[in-house]
Amino acid sequence: MNPSLTIVEAALKLAGKLPGDVVEQTAQIISSHEASEARSRIADSIPHPHHRSLCLKFFNDWRTKAPGVSPAEVAIALRTAACSQRSREADQSVEIVWTGPRSEEISFRHTEQAILQVLNSAQSRILLVSYAVYSIPNIQEAVVRAAKRGVKITFVVETPNKIAVESEYSTLQALGEDVARCSTVYYWPKENRKADGSGKLGILHVKCVVGDGRSLFLSSANLTKYAFSLNMELGVLITGGEAPSQIERVFDEMIREKSLAKC
């Protein structure tokens, strides 16, 4: 393959996995430093470990597979790829997602269908956040399939311990050992939460699934069988635009700043 084309394709792939500011930062380092120094600058300047590893892999692939491509050309490829990614993300669609009594006049996507769409379409990373979780076979299988095709799975739950919630549990283990094995799991420690005057702590009440910073399912529904069948639940499935990547970055920051702890 033509070395320049190798870099273009690698840059497009990287831009699809990273926030635009990280791609720009990498381009800036490569264009303004000698190759021998640029690698260490990337390693020192990008705090998020997954983002850093992706950028370093891109750098190493450049130096081993296309060393004849100049730093200026590599930087241009990265910036062009980031611009292309932003254009794709700007084409946003929003769908209403519903579980509950059916309307005779209006048809909505079902909660489970929307979640499965996000899980099945992800190619790089998935973020799942839920207060309560329960064993749901279709969701379990989709998460494991995603992990097997190389998708990084991050789960954020209310607590690693069992808490009764309508006979269900707010713990990842309820989703099964296969999911727990292929996921990195975080929770919100009590010492990191605000409390009111009586000592009552806040809870993690977010329910969302994000795929590749491109798709966002945001809902009242927990990952429970009741939310998928008996409850009345309302949400939205957002594809494109800035919202998916913004939510992803919020949780990345909480993990980086240790507001969330690894189980």
Side-chain angles (χ1 to χ4, degrees):
M1 182 182 292
N2 181 289
S4 294
L5 185 58
T6 298
I7 291 301
V8 169
E9 291 187 353
L12 287 169
K13 185 176 181 181
L14 186 69
K17 296 179 178 180
L18 293 177
D21 58 342
V22 177
V23 178
E24 170 57 33
Q25 183 179 13
T26 304
Q28 176 63 30
I29 292 171
I30 288 174
S31 65
S32 58
H33 295 87
E34 294 292 333
S36 57
E37 184 183 358
R39 189 185 189 285
S40 61
R41 291 272 186 169
I42 292 171
D44 293 340
S45 301
I46 299 176
H48 191 286
H50 182 56
H51 296 171
R52 182 170 61 246
S53 67
L54 290 174
C55 292
L56 289 174
K57 182 181 184 306
F58 172 85
F59 182 91
N60 291 337
D61 286 346
W62 165 40
R63 300 309 299 159
T64 57
K65 298 178 181 179
V69 180
S70 72
E73 290 174 306
V74 173
I76 289 171
L78 286 170
R79 289 177 171 129
T80 302
C83 182
S84 175
Q85 181 66 23
R86 285 195 298 271
S87 295
R88 288 196 298 271
E89 291 175 354
D91 297 327
Q92 184 184 83
S93 67
V94 179
E95 297 179 72
I96 300 298
V97 181
W98 172 264
T99 300
R102 295 194 176 186
S103 168
E104 295 296 329
E105 297 183 4
I106 305 175
S107 177
F108 294 123
R109 296 288 298 281
H110 188 271
T111 298
E112 187 172 6
Q113 292 174 337
I115 294 175
L116 288 173
Q117 177 176 319
V118 177
L119 298 179
N120 291 333
S121 64
Q123 298 300 313
S124 172
R125 57 198 185 275
I126 292 170
L127 168 70
L128 301 100
V129 186
S130 186
Y131 172 77
V133 296
Y134 192 76
S135 179
I136 305 169
N138 286 343
I139 303 300
Q140 289 174 307
E141 293 164 9
V143 170
V144 173
R145 280 198 308 271
K148 287 181 178 178
R149 64 177 182 267
V151 177
K152 178 178 180 285
I153 312 293
T154 301
F155 240 110
V156 180
V157 296
E158 158 69 3
T159 171
N161 304 313
K162 291 184 177 181
I163 293 181
V165 182
E166 299 292 337
S167 299
E168 297 168 342
Y169 297 102
S170 186
T171 170
L172 183 68
Q173 295 301 326
L175 270 174
E177 292 183 2
D178 289 342
V179 173
R181 274 196 298 267
C182 69
S183 305
T184 304
V185 190
Y186 296 89
Y187 71 102
W188 194 18
K190 291 182 178 179
E191 59 269 22
N192 292 344
R193 308 184 190 194
K194 290 184 178 180
D196 65 13
S198 64
K200 178 177 174 58
L201 295 172
I203 60 174
L204 186 151
H205 211 245
V206 176
K207 300 99 175 178
C208 71
V209 183
V210 186
D212 292 340
R214 168 74 178 165
S215 300
L216 166 64
F217 171 69
L218 182 63
S219 177
S220 62
N222 285 297
L223 293 177
T224 69
K225 63 181 180 180
Y226 296 129
F228 284 24
S229 57
L230 298 180
N231 294 352
M232 187 185 298
E233 306 281 2
L234 179 64
V236 291
L237 176 61
I238 302 173
T239 304
E242 296 184 0
S245 62
Q246 286 176 334
I247 297 301
E248 187 179 60
R249 291 200 294 272
V250 165
F251 280 93
D252 281 348
E253 182 179 351
M254 286 192 287
I255 291 170
R256 187 171 62 250
E257 299 298 327
K258 302 189 185 306
S259 296
L260 301 176
K262 187 180 291 189
C263 292

